[in-house]
Every structure is written in C-alpha cells, then in structure tokens.
Amino acid sequence: MRFFFYIIFGVLLFVFLERILVLIKTGEIFKENALRDSFRKSGQTLWQGMKMFVVVWLLYLLLNWWMQSRH
C-alpha cells in the first residue's frame, strides 16, 4: 500500500513540476494567477477525460452483456 502512495505522490509531483516548467518556458510564470489558471485548465481536461472514461466503460459493459446474452 505504501508503494501505491509513492506512485501517486510521484505522479502529482510530476504534474505540478510540469505545469511550472511550461509556465517558465512560455514566460507566463510571473503573470498574475497564471499558475491557478494553468491548474484550472488541467482540472477541466481531467474532468472531461473522466466523463469520457465512464461513457466508454458503459459502452464496454453494454457490449459485453450483449455478447454474452446472444448465446
């Protein structure tokens, strides 16, 4: 279980550092609320990805049920 938390912490640290490095590279790091807006966009993208995952998962379950009920 501890290993799982290390992986999650590593991924979160990577995402945070990647956002900061992108802002430094584009020169927007010193703009007001740049970091917050960057994370807001990431949150919206993550939310859309989660919704898409649910739709695909439900389609998979429906297809699986349909394939099993045919026999």
Side-chain angles (χ1 to χ4, degrees), residues 23 28-40:
L23 289 174
E28 297 179 0
I29 190 71
F30 297 112
K31 289 185 178 180
E32 187 176 347
N33 299 325
L35 190 60
R36 184 187 69 193
D37 293 339
S38 176
F39 280 109
R40 181 174 289 145

Side-chain angles (χ1 to χ4, degrees), residues 3-5 8-9 15-16 24-25 32-33 35 37 48 51 54 59 62-63:
F3 183 70
F4 179 70
F5 286 119
I8 289 177
F9 178 73
V15 168
F16 183 74
I24 289 172
K25 185 178 176 183
E32 187 176 347
N33 299 325
L35 190 60
D37 293 339
Q48 289 174 353
K51 290 190 294 187
V54 168
L59 288 174
L62 184 64
L63 179 67

Side-chain angles (χ1 to χ4, degrees), residues 12-65:
L12 290 176
L13 184 65
F14 175 76
V15 168
F16 183 74
L17 291 176
E18 187 263 338
R19 284 286 158 197
I20 290 176
L21 289 175
V22 167
L23 289 174
I24 289 172
K25 185 178 176 183
T26 59
E28 297 179 0
I29 190 71
F30 297 112
K31 289 185 178 180
E32 187 176 347
N33 299 325
L35 190 60
R36 184 187 69 193
D37 293 339
S38 176
F39 280 109
R40 181 174 289 145
K41 289 177 190 174
S42 296
Q44 291 171 350
T45 303
L46 180 65
W47 181 246
Q48 289 174 353
M50 288 189 300
K51 290 190 294 187
M52 181 60 81
F53 174 78
V54 168
V55 169
V56 170
W57 183 252
L58 289 175
L59 288 174
Y60 166 75
L61 290 176
L62 184 64
L63 179 67
N64 195 7
W65 171 80

Side-chain angles (χ1 to χ4, degrees), residues 62-71:
L62 184 64
L63 179 67
N64 195 7
W65 171 80
W66 180 69
M67 293 294 285
Q68 288 181 359
S69 67
R70 283 186 357 180
H71 294 122

